Structure formats: C-alpha cells, structure tokens
Amino acid sequence: MDRYTIVGVMDHLKVHFDMTDSETGMLQTVFISSYMVFAPLFGYLGDRYNRKLLMITGICVWISAVFMSSWCTQNHFILFLVCRGIVGIGEASYSTLAPTIISDLFHGGQRSRVLMLFYFAIPFGSGLGFIAGSRIALITGSWQWG
C-alpha cells in the first residue's frame, strides 16, 4: 500500500516540504532506483542464505523506514528521500523472495492460485494505498497519518 500512498498525499507533502515539481518526482525515482538495484541482490542472497530470514529482515527495514519517514520535519527533505530509498530496499526483499517461498510451499494448481493472489495483491494494495492514504490524510489534515 505504501508504494502509492505517497502519490495520494502528494499535495500535503508539497506544502509540508515546500517541494518543487522535480523534488516530487524524486520521491518515486529514489524508491524505484533502490528497488531496481536491490531486487537482484536479494535474488542472489536468497539463493545462498535463509530466504525467510532475509525477507523478515527486509520487511522490518521496510516498516521502520515508512514510520521514520512520517516523522521527518519540514527541514529534513533529504532524510525523507533516504527513507523512501530504504522503503525500496525493503520492498525489493519481499517482492523478490516471497514468490520463491510460495513456490516451495505449494504445488501444482494450488501454487498457481496462491501466486495469482500474491500478484493480484500488488495492484490492489497500490490502489488501496492511494485511496486510503489520501482519504485518511484528508480526514486528519495530516499526511503523516495517511
């Protein structure tokens, strides 16, 4: 959900950090760049080390970065960008390793159904993050709650 929650609260973020258009574009660029760099790394590590432990660590990093980013004050836009990059690292661990774990746990048609649910959750969660994040930010008057 958090991947597109940022887009849903962008108007609030622009005011909070007094961002230019290029700075707003940097938010997704930093996220996608770190995701793109670290996804193959987690694939490599997942072949050599405990995938479950790698994924749990990545999820903890991901969650911590999301919470840390919501406490960034107006003067700490660079820290906010760094947190977005860390979110990309955490998401890279999850999205790279989870399908392999699912494949190990399920076989045949059941594997296909579970993987379908996993991959369906990505666009569903993205849409839900956009809708819920923007609505919560509107209700509370604060992008941090979104």
Side-chain angles (χ1 to χ4, degrees):
M1 284 178 60
D2 64 19
R3 182 185 291 188
Y4 288 101
T5 301
I6 289 293
V7 178
V9 298
M10 190 61 71
D11 291 339
H12 296 274
L13 287 172
K14 283 178 110 172
V15 171
H16 182 77
F17 289 112
D18 191 29
M19 292 189 295
T20 64
D21 287 341
S22 62
E23 289 172 330
T24 59
M26 282 298 293
L27 292 176
Q28 281 300 87
T29 302
V30 167
F31 167 80
I32 292 296
S33 296
S34 67
Y35 181 89
M36 179 181 66
V37 167
F38 282 91
L41 177 63
F42 277 106
Y44 176 83
L45 293 173
D47 284 342
R48 286 152 184 80
Y49 301 102
N50 185 326
R51 288 177 287 171
K52 191 186 302 184
L53 185 59
L54 284 168
M55 191 173 76
I56 290 169
T57 303
I59 290 172
C60 289
V61 166
W62 179 3
I63 291 168
S64 298
V66 169
F67 281 115
M68 285 181 359
S69 68
S70 65
W71 289 314
C72 291
T73 61
Q74 287 95 343
N75 302 333
H76 294 99
F77 177 71
I78 299 297
L79 179 60
F80 189 72
L81 279 177
V82 169
C83 287
R84 288 302 297 163
I86 294 170
V87 168
I89 295 168
E91 192 165 334
S93 74
Y94 175 76
S95 65
T96 304
L97 300 173
T100 64
I101 293 171
I102 291 169
S103 292
D104 288 346
L105 294 173
F106 299 95
H107 302 283
Q110 190 178 21
R111 176 188 293 165
S112 296
R113 283 189 294 279
V114 173
L115 284 170
M116 181 270 309
L117 288 172
F118 175 79
Y119 285 113
F120 174 76
I122 295 170
F124 182 77
S126 297
L128 191 59
F130 180 79
I131 293 166
S134 61
R135 177 61 67 189
I136 292 168
L138 184 64
I139 291 169
T140 62
S142 173
W143 68 268
Q144 289 93 338
W145 287 104

